[in-house]
Amino acid sequence: MTTFRIDIPQNDLNDLHERLARTRWTPQLPGEGLDRGVPADWLRDVAEYWRTGYDWREREARLNAFPQFVDEIDGLDLHYLHVRSPEPDALPLILTHGWPNSFVEFARTIPLLAQTFHVVVPSVPGFGFSAAPRTTGFGIPDVASRFATLMQRLGYDRYGTQGGDLGAYVAPELARQHPDRVVGVHIDGGFGFPTEDDVPGMTADERAEWDLMQQWMSGGVDHHALLRAAPQTFGAGWHDSPVALLAWHAHKFQEFSMSDQPLLDVIDRDAFLDNVSVYWFTKTAATSSWPMYEGLGDGARFAWPRGQKAVPSGVYGGGSALMRRLAERDNTIAHWPEGNPGSHHFIAMEQPAGHVADIAAFFAKVRDSQRL
């Protein structure tokens, strides 16, 4: 393994600022809010802050406070953060970020987690500073196998897995592949979501809940369909225009909110721009789209994370009685809290303390049960 430090060339930073200054702004279309997409005035304001107010060098230094490394695993360079706890018998914990996010998703939770866990945060292949897949057919099992190799090389024979969004697929896959190593799986949410196959067995109340879910799922931009069809086409714009990339991330981060609050009232503005900046500087807007065209379904439709019963599972935000019933069908649920704070899909960025407390509570249950 090789130590790694983020050091974006000044020419790249200058280029970003110049491109932002030369933006050819689109006019505002009729409509309010997100009716036609990210509002032009909002986008212009945030882009101007990105150019003149946001201090990448200061943010870069913050990220470099975490020990970082690069290790070649199965032909791909894997970037990761590794922060050891002062507690010698701390449980190792590997965190997997989501899409369109990066390792910076956990920047506020790592110092809190490291009080209890040895924390490992890889950049998923194709994201951030990890190398992109070089062939078609790369999927969730390929990520999990590399992460398992990483944990083995770090000397961790037993560990926990955690993730949300894309990470909610990788975390249980690690348990499926290595039930002898993984002590428990904690995800932000995703277990127990019904599919069309579950509808015939639903009660009338559950069917009404299903109908409401369908209304929610049908709203917004279907990025799975978009990126399954033409990631190379759309990636060309995100790769060349920082404002196009900013607008895309802002749109998805706002859609991923479960409240009507404005995005930057929920997610810190600099933290949001940290993530956009990592995508921009690493040129990974297109390479990070592989989960949509390779790994999150059967190639024809979206699929929720698959469960596993080899090790206990827990979630930050459980859900209804219907979801609990379906989750228990495919998982050994040991932790299903109600009322955890938060209104955003990327809960680690919104509620770092609450997120860490819930992760710690789940793994305390798991460790206590395994001592019996």
Side-chain angles (χ1 to χ4, degrees):
M1 64 186 68
T2 304
T3 57
F4 179 84
R5 184 175 178 82
I6 304 170
D7 186 15
I8 300 303
Q10 186 60 41
N11 285 343
D12 288 358
L13 190 57
N14 294 342
D15 176 69
L16 168 63
H17 293 162
E18 290 167 5
R19 287 171 184 261
L20 289 169
R22 296 198 312 269
T23 300
R24 185 171 182 240
W25 293 101
T26 181
Q28 177 63 52
L29 301 178
E32 297 180 358
L34 286 174
D35 287 350
R36 299 292 183 270
V38 178
D41 287 346
W42 184 95
L43 188 61
R44 188 189 292 266
D45 288 345
V46 177
E48 181 63 14
Y49 175 76
W50 194 13
R51 184 177 75 88
T52 62
Y54 172 79
D55 186 348
W56 167 256
R57 291 303 183 199
E58 189 270 337
R59 305 301 291 186
E60 183 181 63
R62 285 175 179 247
L63 295 175
N64 279 330
F66 299 120
Q68 298 175 62
F69 306 87
V70 172
D71 200 356
E72 187 273 320
I73 301 178
D74 293 339
L76 293 179
D77 285 343
L78 191 71
H79 163 258
Y80 61 96
L81 283 60
H82 184 202
V83 183
R84 293 185 182 272
S85 172
E87 299 296 329
D89 63 344
L91 177 70
L93 177 66
I94 182 167
L95 305 169
T96 305
H97 62 78
W99 175 97
N101 221 316
S102 65
F103 70 96
V104 303
E105 179 177 344
F106 302 111
R108 296 174 68 192
T109 60
I110 292 171
L112 301 175
L113 285 168
Q115 298 173 24
T116 309
F117 302 93
H118 299 310
V119 183
V120 180
V121 184
S123 293
V124 173
F127 292 71
F129 298 98
S130 284
R134 297 190 180 96
T135 62
T136 58
F138 188 92
I140 298 299
D142 299 285
V143 178
S145 67
R146 284 168 170 80
F147 285 8
T149 299
L150 172 63
M151 296 301 277
Q152 189 173 29
R153 290 184 184 180
L154 293 175
Y156 296 141
D157 296 326
R158 296 280 284 166
Y159 51 87
T161 68
Q162 201 285 327
D165 191 84
L166 177 60
Y169 294 80
V170 176
E173 180 62 26
L174 268 164
R176 277 190 291 272
Q177 291 185 12
H178 299 284
D180 56 327
R181 303 181 197 173
V182 175
V183 302
V185 173
H186 182 281
I187 67 171
D188 295 347
F191 289 151
F193 276 95
T195 68
E196 292 180 1
D197 295 337
D198 300 310
V199 173
M202 290 181 183
T203 66
D205 288 344
E206 290 175 344
R207 181 58 188 264
E209 182 179 342
W210 162 259
D211 291 340
L212 288 174
M213 287 183 180
Q214 292 305 104
Q215 293 177 28
W216 172 71
M217 287 293 294
S218 63
V221 175
D222 186 347
H223 54 275
H224 289 274
L226 185 152
L227 292 174
R228 183 168 58 243
Q232 191 74 60
T233 300
F234 298 107
W238 301 323
H239 184 86
D240 187 62
S241 168
V243 167
L245 180 66
L246 176 64
W248 176 234
H249 277 237
H251 194 105
K252 296 313 301 181
F253 266 66
Q254 184 65 63
E255 283 188 345
F256 284 175
S257 180
M258 290 164 278
S259 76
D260 294 329
Q261 291 179 272
L263 169 60
L264 300 183
D265 287 354
V266 179
I267 303 295
D268 176 76
R269 178 173 58 176
D270 280 359
F272 170 69
L273 287 173
D274 288 345
N275 187 59
V276 181
S277 297
V278 166
Y279 273 75
W280 176 258
F281 290 130
T282 60
K283 304 177 176 68
T284 49
T287 62
S288 61
S289 66
W290 67 259
M292 268 57 77
Y293 63 83
E294 297 281 14
L296 296 187
D298 58 9
R301 63 177 184 171
F302 168 81
W304 294 108
R306 290 193 300 124
Q308 56 77 39
K309 290 196 170 184
V311 306
S313 295
V315 296
Y316 179 85
S320 66
L322 168 63
M323 294 177 66
R324 177 70 184 260
R325 174 172 69 81
L326 296 177
E328 289 182 332
R329 180 184 60 188
D330 302 317
N331 304 272
T332 303
I333 300 296
H335 185 71
W336 190 273
E338 296 181 4
N340 270 338
S343 61
H344 200 277
H345 185 62
F346 295 126
I347 195 67
M349 299 181 79
E350 181 199 0
Q351 297 284 345
H355 193 234
V356 168
D358 196 73
I359 293 169
F362 166 69
F363 283 106
K365 291 179 183 178
V366 170
R367 297 190 84 176
D368 286 345
S369 67
Q370 293 181 359
R371 291 190 183 103
L372 298 177

